[in-house]
Amino acid sequence: MSGAQQPTGPEQGAYPEYHPGSARPELNRPVRERYPQLRSTSGYGDPRVRHTGPGPGAGTDQEPERSSKLTARLALAMTVVIGQLWGLTVVVDEWMEGNTGTAWWGTGFLCLSFLVVLGLWMLDPKDR
């Protein structure tokens, strides 16, 4: 049965065709008559609803010192990562030009900056 066909036989009257402003009164009843389980107090006045939201203080920073510390560490780590990307570009360029001595110094810089990020990560284990 396709969506455009109407049911036939004993089930024909089971699903009346609906369109807004229908002349059939059973289709134009107020919402409270069509859906008696919905009350005007559904939600906030319903005794089954125990928790209506996240609670007081939601969305505010509970520990501003910790937040500022984490933000500073994140900014420092992002700066180091940007420096690593720049250093990697320089090292690859020097290596391709045949300046292996400079490339090895650059590789040392990359290793040192990785150790700095690792040290920042290990600084405060409770923040992970």
Side-chain angles (χ1 to χ4, degrees), residues 41-125:
T41 59
S42 286
Y44 69 90
D46 194 341
R48 296 171 294 180
V49 177
R50 298 180 192 272
H51 303 289
T52 59
T60 61
D61 198 358
Q62 302 296 324
E63 297 181 58
E65 294 85 13
R66 180 175 179 263
S67 176
S68 63
K69 181 174 64 171
L70 291 175
T71 302
R73 283 175 38 197
L74 179 65
L76 187 58
M78 288 173 53
T79 303
V80 170
V81 167
I82 290 171
Q84 285 178 329
L85 291 172
W86 170 78
L88 183 62
T89 303
V90 170
V91 166
V92 169
D93 284 345
E94 292 296 321
W95 185 268
M96 291 297 190
E97 290 177 5
N99 300 332
T100 56
T102 307
W104 283 114
W105 280 106
T107 303
F109 167 77
L110 292 175
C111 291
L112 180 66
S113 62
F114 174 75
L115 292 175
V116 167
V117 171
L118 189 61
L120 287 172
W121 181 73
M122 294 178 65
L123 196 61
D124 200 0

Side-chain angles (χ1 to χ4, degrees), residues 22 28 93 118 128:
S22 175
N28 289 322
D93 284 345
L118 189 61
R128 283 186 241 140

Side-chain angles (χ1 to χ4, degrees), residues 33-48:
E33 290 179 17
R34 283 183 284 164
Y35 303 102
Q37 71 273 20
L38 293 178
R39 298 186 305 272
S40 60
T41 59
S42 286
Y44 69 90
D46 194 341
R48 296 171 294 180

